[in-house]
Amino acid sequence: MLRLLLFLFIFLLALPPGQPANAFNLGTERFRISGFGTLGVTSAGKKDYGIKKEHTHDAQFGDVSVLTDSVFGLQLDLNILKNLDATIQAVAEDRIRQDFNNIVDWAYLSYKLTPNSVIRAGRMGIDLFMLSEYRNVGYAYLWTHPVVEFYKPVSLSHYEGFDFRYSRRISPGYFEFKVFGGQTGSDINVGSGELNLRMRPFVGFNTSLEDNDWKLRFTYTTTDTAFIKSPTDSLVNALNQVPQTIWPQAAVLYDQLKGINTQTHYFSAGFSYDKHNWVVQSEFALIASRWIGVDMTNGYLSAGRRIGPVTFYTVGSYAKSGSHPRIDQNQHFPADLEGLATATQNLLNALHIDQNTVSVGLRWDFHPKAALKAQWDHTWTRKHGGGLLELKKPLDHDITLNTFSLNLNFVF
Amino acid sequence: MRFLVILTTFIILLPLQVLADIVVIVNPRSNITALTQHQIIDIYMGRNPGLSGGQKLQPYDQAADSSIRTDFYYGITGKPASAINAYWARLLFTGRASPPKLVADNREMLSIIEKDPMAIGYLDERDLNERVTVVHKIRTQNRE
């Protein structure tokens, strides 16, 4: 795949930069093929504490990888009738499960009901946060990768269903409202094995108001976990078998760890400002759920300054679990339950998130269709707060981690 | 004194900066006589549901690496071309809109606008002719 990416990139650079054929368009009036890609080199993690920016990737334990950030995507847009269009987007990247179903990220029909409203149906990008729909398109955003503390916890990339979007210019700016519904899921690597999730119904809305220089955005989404298969299933199910009279807390912990039939609510607010030489963006989210693996608050603030073709930036981000349940210390366990209690506490510690990162980096727009980016992330993870990491041993002390990434991003 | 002579000579020999404005143009058959900066931003930034009269204009863009394109977008949005390119990547790869079609130069831009009553474009004011209508003017001091 890398050889193919390299070939494509060399091909792109060989194109005259200002050719009139269209910077993003290799198609005709009714048929368009566009593409994007990233070639990346990343060094991350430590011997026992792995970092990964997406749940779909393998973690890095201090090694250098060319697969972590590398991605290649193709998009086909077809105008079928006057107001009816079809879009297919395929994305090749390093992911735990490579099959046709995962590679096809989008496949939907869109129909323009009025000049201000569009309805779509099929498989579409999840639109939870500002970058959610285009997190694979590195050229479209400032950093080498989406902010880990904010974007990694939501591993969903697409859903099957519908959306309806209404937009119009009102007095303060350009207003948009979108409502969506359907089902989603993901197959991800959680270190100890594969986690398969299916969420339905998946419903929500987002609304934004933007003008030339700024954008405000709010999102609410709710979903129910209809199916889960996890490496910790046997442990969690064992909690459900413990008689209430022997260990009353077991039922509560089972409810917090099972995931299945648990409702999760996503609230988020975002703001961006981009004018002249300044680029500022910030998002905060509350993910509320009885399932402690996802219950958290997170956010980031990014500020950049353009100097010629180079933008220098810094980002501060955090993620923190809503709670950190502990096994009742006063509970007396029979000998046959001590192992279960210890394993449960280890799982609670491993799931808990308490982490923040400060990043500095630069983006060099050296070509109308390509940009080079470099970034250093310095991450602080608190004792038993490594839920976003991949742990080879329990995190029983505070640690710091460094990530260095160098990216070449392009579109065509 | 000699310093002043040298300085004056140097200034005289500097190429004159021509304040060549950029004009936004449409076909006269569109019956559009003026557009606000907001309307032009919406048309060129993919927020183009149509004008109040129900007309939907098809925007045309100058070559991706041309200085006139850089000046046009900086003039109407205050942003450099790199920010505009990244913005369009966001719109394209979220399925929201396709970027304006590109033309090679001012001559091709004029040719398209003269033929298509629903086309909108921009060019150097010095290349203007009477067969198109100017609907907005962008003053720039960056261009030669």
Side-chain angles (χ1 to χ4, degrees):
Chain A
M1 185 181 123
L2 273 174
R3 194 179 293 175
L4 175 67
L5 286 172
L6 196 59
F7 170 78
L8 276 165
F9 186 71
I10 292 167
F11 169 76
L12 283 168
L13 288 189
L15 287 173
Q19 62 159 352
N22 250 336
F24 297 98
N25 186 0
L26 300 177
T28 65
E29 293 280 329
R30 304 188 65 172
F31 177 81
R32 170 194 292 269
I33 295 177
S34 325
F36 56 85
T38 297
L39 286 173
V41 182
T42 308
S43 160
K46 280 182 176 174
K47 185 182 164 201
D48 295 313
Y49 309 111
I51 280 190
K52 53 182 178 180
K53 293 164 199 134
E54 298 274 357
H55 279 295
T56 49
H57 297 152
D58 285 329
Q60 287 182 256
F61 293 89
D63 54 308
V64 176
S65 170
V66 292
L67 292 175
T68 301
D69 283 334
S70 295
V71 61
F72 179 71
L74 273 179
Q75 182 172 311
L76 168 67
D77 294 289
L78 179 66
N79 176 231
I80 302 167
L81 296 170
K82 187 185 171 198
N83 290 319
L84 182 65
D85 295 278
T87 299
I88 297 174
Q89 189 182 96
V91 177
E93 62 174 335
D94 180 39
R95 50 165 75 89
I96 183 172
R97 188 177 282 189
Q98 295 286 8
D99 58 37
F100 183 73
N101 187 44
N102 279 339
I103 288 170
V104 177
D105 213 22
W106 302 355
Y108 65 80
L109 291 171
S110 66
Y111 184 75
K112 190 169 280 186
L113 294 166
T114 70
N116 297 91
S117 56
V118 179
I119 188 163
R120 302 190 298 175
R123 172 177 284 189
M124 291 162 290
I126 296 264
D127 194 12
L128 278 182
F129 308 130
M130 277 184 166
L131 269 67
S132 295
E133 279 190 296
Y134 57 91
R135 62 200 286 175
N136 289 321
V137 189
Y139 181 82
Y141 53 83
L142 185 59
W143 323 299
T144 55
H145 53 83
V147 177
V148 172
E149 280 77 9
F150 197 77
Y151 283 91
K152 189 188 169 192
V154 179
S155 61
L156 311 165
S157 69
H158 52 241
Y159 71 103
E160 289 89 33
F162 78 97
D163 73 18
F164 169 78
R165 190 173 77 230
Y166 176 80
S167 54
R168 63 169 297 180
R169 180 165 276 284
I170 57 175
S171 170
Y174 198 77
F175 169 78
E176 183 178 297
F177 179 81
K178 184 159 96 173
V179 60
F180 50 86
Q183 63 172 5
T184 183
S186 63
D187 303 305
I188 59 178
N189 186 352
V190 290
S192 52
E194 192 176 325
L195 173 67
N196 312 110
L197 278 173
R198 297 295 175 265
M199 325 281 279
R200 59 180 170 266
F202 174 80
V203 293
F205 72 90
N206 62 55
T207 183
S208 65
L209 184 65
E210 66 180 303
D211 208 353
N212 184 44
D213 311 328
W214 53 266
K215 180 172 186 174
L216 286 170
R217 182 189 147 105
F218 298 94
T219 304
Y220 169 71
T221 301
T222 183
T223 189
D224 203 349
T225 311
F227 172 81
I228 181 169
K229 184 169 170 291
S230 157
T232 59
D233 281 352
S234 56
L235 171 63
V236 175
N237 290 332
L239 286 170
N240 199 30
Q241 306 299 321
V242 177
Q244 179 86 4
T245 48
I246 297 178
W247 185 14
Q249 194 190 6
V252 176
L253 293 170
Y254 170 74
D255 195 45
Q256 291 175 313
L257 288 166
K258 65 183 173 118
I260 189 79
N261 297 328
T262 304
Q263 195 81 18
T264 301
H265 306 273
Y266 302 83
F267 304 87
S268 75
F271 164 77
S272 67
Y273 174 83
D274 183 342
K275 189 168 187 183
H276 298 308
N277 295 319
W278 290 100
V279 193
V280 179
Q281 184 164 311
S282 182
E283 287 184 275
F284 290 90
L286 166 66
I287 306 175
S289 177
R290 281 202 326 275
W291 187 10
I292 59 164
V294 297
D295 183 58
M296 72 179 78
T297 58
N298 54 6
Y300 69 88
L301 172 64
S302 165
R305 181 172 168 78
R306 296 190 184 98
I307 299 175
V310 181
T311 307
F312 297 89
Y313 60 84
T314 183
V315 190
S317 56
Y318 82 97
K320 190 166 174 52
S321 292
S323 62
H324 186 185
R326 289 178 172 82
I327 305 292
D328 185 357
Q329 296 298 308
N330 298 320
Q331 173 74 43
H332 175 71
F333 292 103
D336 59 337
L337 281 184
E338 277 184 2
L340 177 61
T342 304
T344 302
Q345 185 60 66
N346 287 341
L347 177 60
L348 293 169
N349 291 343
L351 289 172
H352 186 247
I353 298 167
D354 188 358
Q355 178 174 304
N356 57 288
T357 295
V358 171
S359 310
V360 291
L362 63 88
R363 171 184 169 127
W364 176 28
D365 283 279
F366 67 95
H367 188 279
K369 291 183 283 183
L372 191 66
K373 302 182 204 169
Q375 184 171 315
W376 169 50
D377 305 327
H378 189 69
T379 298
W380 290 265
T381 308
R382 250 67 62 189
K383 177 183 174 184
H384 301 319
L388 292 178
L389 304 177
E390 196 165 306
L391 307 173
K392 283 188 177 170
K393 64 179 188 182
L395 184 62
D396 53 8
H397 60 285
D398 296 355
I399 57 166
T400 60
L401 297 160
N402 291 301
T403 303
F404 299 93
S405 40
L406 183 67
N407 277 352
L408 196 52
N409 306 270
F410 56 90
V411 292
F412 60 91
Chain B
M1 184 61 193
R2 193 200 291 180
F3 173 74
L4 278 177
V5 170
I6 292 170
L7 186 64
T8 309
T9 310
F10 177 72
I11 289 169
I12 289 169
L13 289 178
L14 275 177
L16 283 177
Q17 188 174 36
V18 181
L19 301 181
D21 293 336
I22 296 172
V23 285
V24 181
I25 55 172
V26 297
N27 186 298
R29 281 181 287 157
S30 69
N31 293 324
I32 298 168
T33 54
L35 290 173
T36 65
Q37 185 174 347
H38 261 138
Q39 286 174 309
I40 293 168
I41 290 173
D42 284 350
I43 290 168
Y44 272 91
M45 301 298 273
R47 303 186 289 248
N48 187 14
L51 302 173
S52 54
Q55 296 163 295
K56 182 168 181 181
L57 295 171
Q58 171 69 51
Y60 285 83
D61 218 346
Q62 298 271 3
D65 64 339
S66 63
S67 63
I68 188 170
R69 181 175 182 271
T70 301
D71 292 340
F72 169 73
Y73 280 106
Y74 197 82
I76 61 163
T77 68
K79 295 175 190 175
S82 59
I84 302 298
N85 295 340
Y87 173 87
W88 269 111
R90 289 199 283 277
L91 260 60
L92 177 61
F93 295 114
T94 53
R96 284 167 185 267
S98 299
K101 294 172 182 171
L102 297 184
V103 301
D105 51 27
N106 288 338
R107 184 180 298 179
E108 188 184 354
M109 182 70 85
L110 268 176
S111 164
I112 288 169
I113 305 296
E114 285 172 15
K115 286 176 196 155
D116 185 351
M118 297 318 293
I120 180 169
Y122 60 91
L123 45 69
D124 192 311
E125 188 178 28
R126 290 170 297 188
D127 291 326
L128 201 56
N129 68 26
E130 70 286 354
R131 294 187 294 278
V132 295
T133 301
V134 174
V135 291
H136 195 84
K137 185 180 279 198
I138 298 160
R139 297 205 170 277
T140 171
Q141 296 184 12
N142 298 331
R143 309 186 57 243
E144 203 177 333

